[in-house]
Amino acid sequence: MTAQTVYVSITGLQLKARRHQPRFWWHAIRSMIQARKAPGNLSTDARFINGVHHTRTVWTDEAAMRRYLISGAHLQAMKAFGAIATGKTLGFTTETVPDWDEVRRLWETAGRPAGTTAKSSPV
């Protein structure tokens, strides 16, 4: 039996100012709802770690994640991002979904500035 590969996307965002919280949460909640309903989404969760809002989504493949990325609530959130937050993202194919300790480590060591299209690899 071969292991199933999945595409994992990790995001970590920090608000530029506390006043951006309502706008951030409006976009974040709508984007999470969209992700959970998106075709190809296997798992969506979030954590607040050391002042950083992190998401970890797991997809059947990168194409499914990219379809979500450029549509609906998430597209609106990306357009607002620069005004309200800074952060890094990371996406990769794997056979093992990282736990939250690993998510944080990967984000710190291999994450790329949010808004860039370059792929990152945790290995």
Side-chain angles (χ1 to χ4, degrees), residues 5-11 56-62 65-66 89-99 102-103 105-107 110-111 118-123:
T5 60
V6 295
Y7 188 82
V8 174
S9 180
I10 297 168
T11 302
R56 173 185 61 186
T57 56
V58 182
W59 303 86
T60 54
D61 54 38
E62 184 178 0
M65 185 280 299
R66 292 212 175 269
T89 63
L90 172 66
F92 54 94
T93 301
T94 183
E95 293 179 357
T96 307
V97 176
D99 65 18
E102 184 71 358
V103 164
R105 186 192 70 73
L106 291 169
W107 179 81
K119 288 185 192 179
S120 300
S121 175
V123 290

Side-chain angles (χ1 to χ4, degrees), residues 26 29 32 43 45 50 66-67 70 76 78 80 82 85 88 95 97 103 105 107 112:
W26 187 80
I29 290 168
M32 291 291 280
S43 173
D45 56 351
N50 297 333
R66 292 212 175 269
R67 284 188 296 274
I70 60 169
Q76 291 176 356
M78 288 192 329
K88 297 189 289 187
E95 293 179 357
V97 176
V103 164
R105 186 192 70 73
W107 179 81
R112 306 252 182 191

Side-chain angles (χ1 to χ4, degrees), residues 23 26-27 30-31 69 71-81:
R23 190 172 177 199
W26 187 80
H27 286 294
R30 294 176 67 241
S31 294
L69 184 78
S71 66
H74 190 269
L75 178 60
Q76 291 176 356
M78 288 192 329
K79 289 177 180 178
F81 165 76

Side-chain angles (χ1 to χ4, degrees), residues 11-18 20-21 24 47-54 80-88 104 107-108 114:
T11 302
L13 304 177
Q14 291 179 288
L15 297 180
K16 289 181 176 180
R18 204 176 157 137
H20 297 306
Q21 282 185 347
F24 170 82
R47 298 281 187 281
F48 186 67
I49 305 169
N50 297 333
V52 180
H53 298 274
H54 288 279
F81 165 76
I84 64 176
T86 63
K88 297 189 289 187
R104 177 65 182 187
W107 179 81
E108 288 176 350

